[in-house]
Coordinates of all heavy atoms in Angstrom, one line a residue:
Chain I
I1179 N -10.7 -23.6 26.4 CA -10.0 -23.1 25.2 C -9.6 -21.7 25.6 O -10.4 -21.0 26.3 CB -10.7 -23.2 23.9 CG1 -9.9 -23.0 22.8 CG2 -12.0 -22.2 24.0 CD1 -10.6 -23.7 21.6
A1180 N -8.4 -21.2 25.2 CA -8.1 -19.8 25.5 C -7.0 -19.3 24.5 O -6.2 -20.1 24.0 CB -7.5 -19.6 26.9
W1181 N -7.1 -18.1 23.9 CA -6.2 -17.6 23.1 C -5.0 -17.2 23.6 O -4.8 -16.2 24.2 CB -7.0 -16.5 22.3 CG -7.9 -16.9 21.2 CD1 -9.0 -17.8 21.4 CD2 -7.9 -16.8 19.9 NE1 -9.7 -18.0 20.3 CE2 -9.1 -17.4 19.2 CE3 -7.1 -16.0 18.9 CZ2 -9.4 -17.5 18.0 CZ3 -7.5 -15.9 17.6 CH2 -8.6 -16.6 17.0
L1182 N -3.9 -18.0 23.3 CA -2.6 -17.7 24.0 C -1.5 -17.8 22.8 O -1.7 -18.4 21.8 CB -2.3 -18.8 25.0 CG -3.1 -18.6 26.3 CD1 -2.9 -19.9 27.2 CD2 -2.6 -17.4 27.2
G1183 N -0.4 -17.2 23.1 CA 0.6 -17.1 22.0 C 1.8 -17.8 22.4 O 2.0 -18.6 23.2
H1184 N 2.9 -17.3 21.6 CA 4.3 -17.9 21.8 C 4.8 -17.7 23.2 O 4.8 -16.6 23.7 CB 5.3 -17.2 20.8 CG 6.5 -17.8 20.7 ND1 6.8 -19.1 20.3 CD2 7.8 -17.3 21.3 CE1 8.1 -19.4 20.4 NE2 8.7 -18.4 21.0
G1185 N 5.3 -18.9 23.8 CA 5.7 -18.7 25.2 C 4.7 -18.8 26.1 O 4.9 -19.7 27.1
E1186 N 3.6 -18.2 26.1 CA 2.5 -18.4 26.9 C 2.0 -19.9 27.0 O 1.7 -20.4 28.1 CB 1.3 -17.6 26.6 CG 1.7 -16.0 26.7 CD 0.6 -15.1 26.1 OE1 -0.2 -15.6 25.2 OE2 0.5 -14.1 26.5
R1187 N 1.8 -20.4 25.8 CA 1.3 -21.8 25.7 C 2.3 -22.8 26.5 O 1.9 -23.6 27.2 CB 1.1 -22.2 24.2 CG 0.0 -21.4 23.5 CD -0.2 -22.1 22.2 NE -1.0 -21.1 21.4 CZ -1.4 -21.5 20.1 NH1 -1.0 -22.5 19.5 NH2 -2.1 -20.5 19.5
T1188 N 3.5 -22.5 26.2 CA 4.6 -23.4 26.7 C 4.6 -23.3 28.3 O 4.6 -24.3 28.9 CB 5.8 -23.1 26.2 OG1 5.9 -23.0 24.7 CG2 6.9 -24.0 26.4
A1189 N 4.6 -22.0 28.6 CA 4.6 -21.7 30.1 C 3.5 -22.5 30.8 O 3.6 -23.1 31.8 CB 4.7 -20.2 30.4
L1190 N 2.2 -22.2 30.2 CA 1.0 -22.8 30.8 C 1.1 -24.2 31.0 O 0.9 -25.0 32.0 CB -0.2 -22.4 30.2 CG -1.6 -23.0 30.6 CD1 -1.8 -22.5 32.0 CD2 -2.8 -22.6 29.8
A1191 N 1.6 -24.9 29.9 CA 1.6 -26.4 29.7 C 2.6 -26.9 30.8 O 2.4 -28.0 31.4 CB 1.8 -26.8 28.3
L1192 N 3.7 -26.3 30.8 CA 4.8 -26.8 31.8 C 4.3 -26.6 33.3 O 4.5 -27.6 34.1 CB 6.0 -26.0 31.6 CG 6.8 -26.4 30.3 CD1 8.0 -25.4 30.1 CD2 7.2 -27.8 30.3
A1193 N 3.6 -25.5 33.5 CA 3.0 -25.4 34.9 C 1.9 -26.4 35.2 O 1.8 -27.0 36.2 CB 2.5 -24.0 35.1
V1194 N 1.1 -26.8 34.2 CA 0.1 -27.8 34.3 C 0.8 -29.1 34.6 O 0.4 -29.9 35.5 CB -0.8 -27.7 33.1 CG1 -1.7 -29.0 33.2 CG2 -1.8 -26.6 33.1
N1195 N 1.7 -29.4 33.8 CA 2.4 -30.7 34.0 C 3.0 -30.8 35.3 O 3.0 -31.8 35.9 CB 3.7 -30.8 32.9 CG 4.2 -32.2 32.8 OD1 3.4 -33.2 32.6 ND2 5.5 -32.4 33.0
K1196 N 3.5 -29.7 36.0 CA 4.0 -29.7 37.3 C 2.8 -30.0 38.3 O 2.9 -30.7 39.2 CB 4.5 -28.3 37.7 CG 6.1 -28.2 37.3 CD 6.6 -27.0 38.0 CE 7.9 -26.9 37.3 NZ 8.5 -25.4 37.3
L1197 N 1.7 -29.4 38.0 CA 0.4 -29.7 39.0 C 0.1 -31.2 38.8 O -0.2 -31.8 39.8 CB -0.8 -29.0 38.4 CG -0.8 -27.4 38.7 CD1 -2.2 -26.8 38.3 CD2 -0.6 -27.1 40.1
V1198 N 0.2 -31.8 37.7 CA 0.0 -33.2 37.5 C 1.0 -34.0 38.3 O 0.5 -34.9 39.2 CB -0.1 -33.6 35.8 CG1 -0.3 -35.1 35.9 CG2 -1.0 -33.0 35.2
A1199 N 2.1 -33.6 38.2 CA 3.4 -34.3 38.9 C 3.0 -34.2 40.4 O 3.3 -35.2 41.2 CB 4.7 -33.8 38.6
A1200 N 2.6 -33.1 40.8 CA 2.3 -32.8 42.3 C 1.1 -33.4 42.9 O 0.8 -33.4 44.0 CB 2.5 -31.3 42.6
G1201 N 0.4 -34.1 42.0 CA -0.9 -34.7 42.4 C -2.0 -33.7 42.6 O -3.0 -34.0 43.2
E1202 N -1.8 -32.4 42.2 CA -2.9 -31.5 42.4 C -4.1 -31.6 41.4 O -5.1 -30.9 41.6 CB -2.2 -30.1 42.4 CG -1.4 -29.7 43.5 CD -1.1 -28.2 43.6 OE1 -2.1 -27.4 43.4 OE2 -0.1 -27.9 43.8
L1203 N -3.8 -32.5 40.4 CA -5.0 -32.7 39.5 C -5.3 -34.1 39.6 O -4.4 -35.0 40.0 CB -4.6 -32.3 38.0 CG -4.1 -30.9 37.8 CD1 -3.8 -30.6 36.4 CD2 -5.4 -29.9 38.1
K1204 N -6.6 -34.5 39.1 CA -6.9 -35.8 39.3 C -6.4 -36.8 38.2 O -6.4 -38.0 38.2 CB -8.4 -36.0 39.2 CG -9.2 -35.0 40.3 CD -9.9 -36.1 41.2 CE -10.2 -35.4 42.5 NZ -11.0 -34.1 42.3
G1205 N -5.7 -36.2 37.2 CA -5.1 -37.0 36.0 C -4.4 -36.1 35.1 O -4.4 -34.8 35.2
P1206 N -3.8 -36.7 34.1 CA -3.0 -36.0 33.1 C -4.0 -35.0 32.3 O -5.2 -35.2 32.3 CB -2.4 -37.0 32.2 CG -2.4 -38.3 33.1 CD -3.6 -38.1 33.9
I1207 N -3.3 -34.1 31.6 CA -4.2 -33.1 30.8 C -3.5 -33.3 29.4 O -2.4 -33.4 29.1 CB -3.8 -31.7 31.3 CG1 -4.2 -31.5 32.8 CG2 -4.4 -30.6 30.4 CD1 -5.7 -31.6 33.1
A1208 N -4.5 -33.2 28.3 CA -4.1 -33.2 27.0 C -4.2 -31.7 26.5 O -5.2 -30.9 26.8 CB -5.0 -34.2 26.1

Side-chain angles (χ1 to χ4, degrees):
Chain I
I1179 194 156
W1181 283 54
L1182 290 167
H1184 183 72
E1186 295 172 334
R1187 297 186 191 182
T1188 312
L1190 177 64
L1192 290 174
V1194 167
N1195 196 52
K1196 277 192 189 149
L1197 290 187
V1198 177
E1202 287 196 45
L1203 299 177
K1204 301 247 163 60
I1207 301 294

